[in-house]
Amino acid sequence: MTMIVRNLQLVRDRITTACVAAGRNPASVRLLAVSKTFGPEAVMAAVSDGQRLFGENYIQEGVEKIVAVRNHVTGLSGPLEWHCIGPVQSNKTRQVAEHFDWVQSVDRLKIAQRLSEQRPAHLPPLQVCLQVNIDGGANKSGVAPDEALALAAEVAGLPRLRLRGLMSIPEPAIDFVAACAVHARAKALFDQINAAGVLPQAMDTLSMGMTADLEAAIHAGSTMVRVGTAIFGKR
């Protein structure tokens, strides 16, 4: 058993335990393995244990990895799903639109419009989450919470995109209670946008929680946790 396979099992156990504690079905939370800075061989090790969702922060590195893994993985029980979770600049939107399945870091209409225009017609719609700066962190990307509803309505109307939900990366919390509180604010915003009746279809994805705070995020309602260090090791 490789270290990555062993770590994956430990993370899945953490997710299950957190879901049980929160009275939730473990199947309601998806695990995104954040493979940034690790090579294709690390992804392949995770794939061998059934992991199918992978997140990349750096676009060029991610595109090269997607191509490399695609050329070495055949006969899988299900396709791999690649998520861009890092900042997207205007000069990188074409690469993202052509290679990734999801973009979780949309925080401006301009970026969403470029992704929509550049998504190849032969591919399914690009799945999109809005990144929300839920706690107002000075060094964090993301749309302000009070601007998220308007942006969601605009993004949801773009062709070749499907708005799936919200993503947040709050500042580290001092304890479990504090972490739950900030994640609960993202869940409340998620529910508020869905209840506003401005979207053609309800959002279904709330991406929050990482290695250090996945239990708190699940307690607050996360449907996808983004875990890197606990699976692949320190960078």
Side-chain angles (χ1 to χ4, degrees):
M1 181 184 298
T2 69
M3 178 197 74
I4 289 173
V5 170
R6 182 169 58 253
N7 288 347
L8 269 171
Q9 293 177 354
L10 292 173
V11 170
R12 289 167 182 152
D13 287 345
R14 285 178 63 186
I15 292 171
T16 297
T17 300
C19 285
V20 170
R24 298 181 56 191
N25 183 345
S28 67
V29 179
R30 304 176 78 198
L31 170 60
L32 182 69
V34 180
S35 46
K36 69 176 183 181
T37 77
F38 291 93
E41 66 283 352
V43 173
M44 300 276 287
V47 168
S48 73
D49 195 49
Q51 181 63 30
R52 295 293 181 267
L53 279 63
F54 294 92
E56 292 287 329
N57 289 64
Y58 310 121
I59 293 168
Q60 186 59 44
E61 175 196 335
V63 168
E64 293 172 359
K65 202 175 302 179
I66 290 168
V67 173
V69 171
R70 182 188 302 136
N71 291 337
H72 288 87
V73 176
T74 59
L76 293 180
S77 59
L80 301 187
E81 189 174 284
W82 292 93
H83 295 234
C84 176
I85 60 175
V88 180
Q89 303 300 325
S90 294
N91 64 347
K92 297 290 187 180
T93 53
R94 184 173 298 278
Q95 287 180 289
V96 174
E98 291 179 348
H99 291 277
F100 285 87
D101 304 297
W102 285 62
V103 184
Q104 296 198 21
S105 47
V106 172
D107 60 2
R108 290 174 288 157
L109 180 59
K110 176 184 176 182
I111 295 299
Q113 290 171 329
R114 290 179 64 88
L115 291 169
S116 173
E117 293 164 0
Q118 295 169 347
R119 181 66 168 176
H122 70 278
L123 294 178
L126 188 61
Q127 311 297 294
V128 169
C129 289
L130 303 184
Q131 183 173 350
V132 179
N133 189 355
I134 196 63
D135 57 351
N139 299 315
K140 297 288 186 181
S141 300
V143 62
D146 61 357
E147 299 173 0
L149 175 59
L151 181 59
E154 291 177 305
V155 171
L158 294 173
R160 309 298 302 144
L161 302 182
R162 181 187 170 195
L163 179 62
R164 295 294 297 270
L166 305 181
M167 183 267 268
S168 66
I169 312 174
E171 297 291 340
I174 58 173
D175 56 27
F176 180 81
V177 173
C180 287
V182 71
H183 287 310
R185 288 160 60 185
K187 177 61 162 63
L189 180 62
F190 176 86
D191 291 341
Q192 174 191 335
I193 293 173
N194 270 339
V198 299
L199 304 180
Q201 53 188 332
M203 301 184 298
D204 60 8
T205 300
L206 186 54
S207 173
M208 58 186 191
M210 299 185 287
T211 293
D213 64 345
L214 69 86
E215 286 86 1
I218 289 171
H219 180 84
S222 174
T223 68
M224 182 182 294
V225 292
R226 310 178 306 273
V227 179
T229 301
I231 295 172
F232 296 106
K234 293 188 180 297
R235 297 178 172 84

